Amino acid sequence: MDLSTPRFDDADGFYATLLQAHEGLSDSQSNLLNAKLVLLLANQIGRADTLTALVAAAREDL
Amino acid sequence: MSYELPTFPYVTPPERAGAAASAPARYPLVIVGGGLAGLTLAADLASRGVRCTLIDEDDTVGVRGASSRGIAYVQRTLEIMARIGIFERIAAKGATWSVGRVLAGEEMLYRFDYQPESVSRQPTFVNLQQFYMEWFLVDRIVELGLTDLRWKQRVVGVQNHADHVQLTIDSPDGPYTLQAEWVVDAEGVNSYVRQALGLKEETERGQDRWCITDVRFQQQRPQERWTWIEAPFNADRGVWQHPMADDVWRLDFQMAPDSDPVEVSKPEVARERVAQMLGPDVAFELVWVGPYSYRTMLMERFRHGRLLFMGDAAHAKSPFGARGGNSGIMDADNLGWRLALLLQGNAGPALLDRYDVERHRAAEENIRITARSGRFMQPRSEAEFTLRRAVLQLARHHAFGRQLLDAGRMCAPHHYAGLPGFGPTGEAGRAVPNVPLAPDTKGSPAPALLDVLRAAGSDLVAFVFGPVPLDLAAAIETAGLPLRLHACTDATATALLQRLTGAPAGGVALIRPDSHLAAALPDRQAGPLIAAARAALALEL
């Protein structure tokens, strides 16, 4: 599965949005924000095989 | 207030009554254990005209006195009890419900109602203290008059032979030995028979601790199942609130993993817990307090020669989703008609192997689902807590979040799709709900699926959608199988049954005595129907 091809409309913009969202949050609030975002994104993707591959890719290098 | 339980008469067994016989008597069928599964099987067999012997270690219902344990009975269970003949009594005594709510503190995260999707004559759920269910079953068994009930007797020895099982039984008049052609063990998770024979199983003990606190209080609360995942009045741990019979409410509190079961069940400690939940102004009465933890256990096989295992003796799991008692009752439902056909000479032991295949897969599913719920209710790490908190927050605003929120998935009958003996179509293997088969006439409800199945005894029933061709009737007659035809002539009234079974107009739905669809056939030819029935009966094709 191709997980590497860039797909962002605006990668820099997304990264900045993400950093901004974390501003002023405690570590536990940030963790919660990330967890909610993961679940929201996962629901947008929906497909089980894609999600499984994404989770595996995220687990790499840990 | 505590519960008043019935006691049943101990009768000196024939083995201890007269002079000692030279050889142990041989019985066709002995059930060990009079809990939900064992009593359901005995009542089911008696309703099919089959005699058996049931051995139970005490002379009352419930577990160790007045404990209530199981409470929620699902639609399929209620249908089984309707077939056995005690549904009306259960519905009159218990609390019928269909709405569940999940809450966070004062805030409701979401509400769901099972009723709109229900098509059965029976309601979606009835809550009832387990001992009432057992009590009604015993009354029904006594009324049917075919079962040898042996109270205050306990199996203390077992030998599994090729053509019989020998049991040594302790009675108030001393021990005795008997032989049985078939034995069904329904002793519960600590089954003596399973352990004495050293039969293979896998066990995993849970760390999660709960404390049931049944109370009676004078406050109107809706007849609904309420779940708090993180209850502020219980140190942010889980709480369940369920209505039951006698105006008693089941409050089930999740405890800290290291809590002491003796400490948490002290009346003053329990009272304090309930007061935190109900508030200072609500007077209440403690009815019963029962701390518990749970384990997961699955036997490798449910049939060992002449010995069959069911209920908690065969598979144990956490209580999330009411999958313990209900799945034990569904085991009995799956096994009853097979034993009846076998003992009446209409089927061979191969039909019992199918019990193992079907109910083992159902148990695997139940364990998988309850384990997932258990992990949601008791996260194992900070990361899991964070993910759960994310789900709870998202569930407030987003439907998909509710999909992830898993406070127990209610027990549903297993879909046996793809297992031996079932037809190839998608619906084959499903339990068919108890739908009406004719329009209601004034004053009397129309016959429904279960009425036809009950009248057919332990025969399979082929529901023919359209007139029954003469040659089909003749061929079924000649085939000599435990199979009968039921013509569905009112196409409008049986449209629902057709849709649920996937059988077209002019086709046939072959339904087993346990309501599961064996096969859906596209036409009314005798050959394919007889082949489908032989497959369902585990006979050579």
Side-chain angles (χ1 to χ4, degrees):
Chain A
M1 191 171 295
D2 170 23
L3 301 178
S4 306
T5 307
R7 292 169 187 266
F8 285 113
D9 283 348
D10 175 6
D12 289 342
F14 168 72
Y15 200 73
T17 305
L18 197 53
L19 293 186
Q20 202 181 2
H22 281 280
E23 269 172 32
L25 298 185
S26 66
D27 281 355
S28 74
Q29 285 172 320
S30 271
N31 287 340
L32 185 55
L33 172 75
N34 281 337
K36 287 170 73 178
L37 188 58
V38 164
L39 297 177
L40 282 159
L41 293 170
N43 182 56
Q44 285 301 307
I45 293 162
R47 284 190 57 129
D49 54 351
T50 309
L51 290 172
T52 306
L54 288 166
V55 171
R59 198 74 164 75
E60 276 172 27
D61 303 333
L62 289 181
Chain B
M1 170 239 170
S2 62
Y3 293 114
E4 300 261 330
L5 298 183
T7 51
F8 306 114
Y10 164 73
V11 179
T12 300
E15 284 80 2
R16 298 294 313 188
S22 53
R26 182 74 75 100
Y27 294 81
L29 174 61
V30 173
I31 300 169
V32 186
L36 286 173
L39 291 171
T40 300
L41 182 62
D44 180 67
L45 287 168
S47 73
R48 300 179 187 286
V50 176
R51 295 175 179 278
C52 71
T53 301
L54 184 142
I55 293 163
D56 190 60
E57 63 183 353
D58 61 19
D59 61 352
T60 185
V61 284
V63 185
R64 271 166 258 119
S67 82
S68 63
R69 307 249 289 194
I71 49 161
Y73 298 99
V74 302
Q75 188 164 68
R76 179 66 203 135
T77 290
L78 299 171
E79 292 176 346
I80 294 165
M81 296 306 158
R83 196 187 63 224
I84 288 172
I86 60 169
F87 167 68
E88 275 76 15
R89 226 179 143 188
I90 291 165
K93 186 73 181 166
T96 297
W97 64 278
S98 71
V99 172
R101 288 174 199 261
V102 179
L103 300 95
E106 298 295 309
E107 189 190 2
M108 186 177 79
L109 294 183
Y110 75 106
R111 168 192 191 277
F112 54 94
D113 188 350
Y114 291 90
Q115 192 55 46
E117 287 182 17
S118 170
V119 292
S120 172
R121 276 276 168 81
Q122 272 60 49
T124 51
F125 307 101
V126 172
N127 282 0
L128 184 65
Q129 290 86 331
Q130 179 172 336
F131 67 85
Y132 278 126
M133 192 73 147
E134 295 175 356
W135 188 345
F136 299 165
L137 283 165
V138 174
D139 283 353
R140 183 64 178 146
I141 290 167
V142 170
E143 184 182 32
L144 290 164
L146 293 178
T147 311
D148 174 8
L149 289 169
R150 299 194 178 194
W151 303 107
K152 296 182 96 155
Q153 293 167 66
R154 200 161 51 89
V155 173
V156 293
V158 54
Q159 291 171 26
N160 196 7
H161 297 285
D163 65 340
H164 73 280
V165 179
Q166 179 155 311
L167 298 176
T168 304
I169 295 166
D170 219 359
S171 83
D173 288 302
Y176 64 94
T177 297
L178 60 73
Q179 294 182 347
E181 306 272 333
W182 298 94
V183 167
V184 179
D185 184 64
E187 290 180 281
V189 71
N190 296 314
S191 160
Y192 165 82
V193 171
R194 187 191 72 232
Q195 294 175 62
L197 293 173
L199 299 178
K200 221 170 162 184
E201 42 101 345
E202 267 186 50
T203 297
E204 195 188 328
R205 277 208 162 275
Q207 300 301 311
D208 202 5
R209 293 195 171 276
W210 290 74
C211 190
I212 291 172
T213 314
D214 288 351
V215 299
R216 176 185 288 198
F217 54 81
Q218 301 302 320
Q219 190 197 40
Q220 286 303 314
R221 292 201 166 204
Q223 299 272 302
E224 297 174 353
R225 171 209 204 223
W226 286 19
T227 307
W228 285 264
I229 310 281
E230 294 178 355
F233 50 83
N234 187 39
D236 283 339
R237 286 188 286 271
V239 173
W240 259 283
Q241 171 188 306
H242 270 278
M244 294 193 289
D246 301 335
D247 297 318
V248 174
W249 291 77
R250 159 69 47 90
L251 308 178
D252 197 355
F253 296 87
Q254 191 175 31
M255 300 279 102
D258 55 358
S259 64
D260 172 10
V262 177
E263 179 64 24
V264 300
S265 48
K266 283 182 180 161
E268 62 274 20
V269 178
R271 242 181 238 117
E272 174 57 26
R273 201 159 54 225
V274 176
Q276 287 288 328
M277 176 176 179
L278 300 179
D281 304 328
V282 181
F284 63 87
E285 195 186 345
L286 278 188
V287 177
W288 183 69
V289 179
Y292 67 92
S293 57
Y294 52 79
R295 73 182 97 166
T296 295
M297 189 278 294
L298 181 62
M299 284 184 81
E300 191 177 55
R301 284 183 291 126
F302 295 173
R303 181 181 172 209
H304 290 264
R306 296 284 176 139
L307 242 173
L308 296 136
F309 293 83
M310 63 174 188
D312 283 0
H315 48 84
K317 59 207 73 71
S318 75
F320 308 119
R323 288 170 185 266
N326 285 290
S327 73
I329 289 166
M330 291 178 205
D331 287 350
D333 180 47
N334 188 289
L335 188 53
W337 63 279
R338 299 174 196 276
L339 286 168
L341 287 176
L342 182 84
L343 295 174
Q344 291 160 352
N346 282 316
L351 194 59
L352 298 180
D353 286 329
R354 298 277 178 82
Y355 162 78
D356 169 58
V357 170
E358 292 176 17
R359 294 314 295 169
H360 202 281
R361 202 175 77 171
E364 289 165 29
E365 179 186 67
N366 285 325
I367 286 172
R368 195 168 56 240
I369 292 173
T370 51
R372 218 160 46 196
S373 306
R375 194 154 174 183
F376 191 84
M377 293 307 291
Q378 200 207 21
R380 294 182 191 171
S381 64
E382 222 17 74
E384 285 189 27
F385 262 110
T386 302
L387 280 167
R388 187 173 83 170
R389 226 163 278 142
V391 169
L392 292 176
Q393 283 197 7
L394 291 168
R396 287 187 186 139
H397 311 294
H398 305 288
F400 86 84
R402 284 158 227 161
Q403 235 185 339
L404 296 169
L405 203 160
D406 183 357
R409 311 271 190 226
M410 292 308 287
C411 184
H414 189 76
H415 187 349
Y416 300 125
L419 292 182
F422 292 100
T425 60
E427 303 307 324
R430 271 191 200 286
V432 184
N434 185 25
V435 291
L437 299 175
D440 280 331
T441 49
K442 242 189 172 168
S444 62
L449 181 74
L450 281 177
D451 299 304
V452 176
L453 296 180
R454 190 189 303 109
S458 302
D459 290 356
L460 309 182
V461 181
F463 291 82
V464 181
F465 297 106
V468 176
L470 284 178
D471 59 336
L472 176 64
I476 299 304
E477 181 81 35
T478 316
L481 294 170
L483 165 67
R484 57 182 87 181
L485 300 171
H486 181 86
C488 296
T489 43
D490 186 331
T492 320
T494 54
L496 184 56
L497 182 62
Q498 259 180 258
R499 184 168 65 73
L500 292 168
T501 58
V508 175
L510 180 64
I511 300 182
R512 306 197 310 195
D514 63 357
S515 295
H516 281 266
L517 179 71
L521 303 167
D523 52 38
R524 286 166 285 176
Q525 287 181 48
L529 175 56
I530 289 169
R534 295 188 68 87
L537 294 162
L539 299 170
E540 299 283 323
L541 294 183

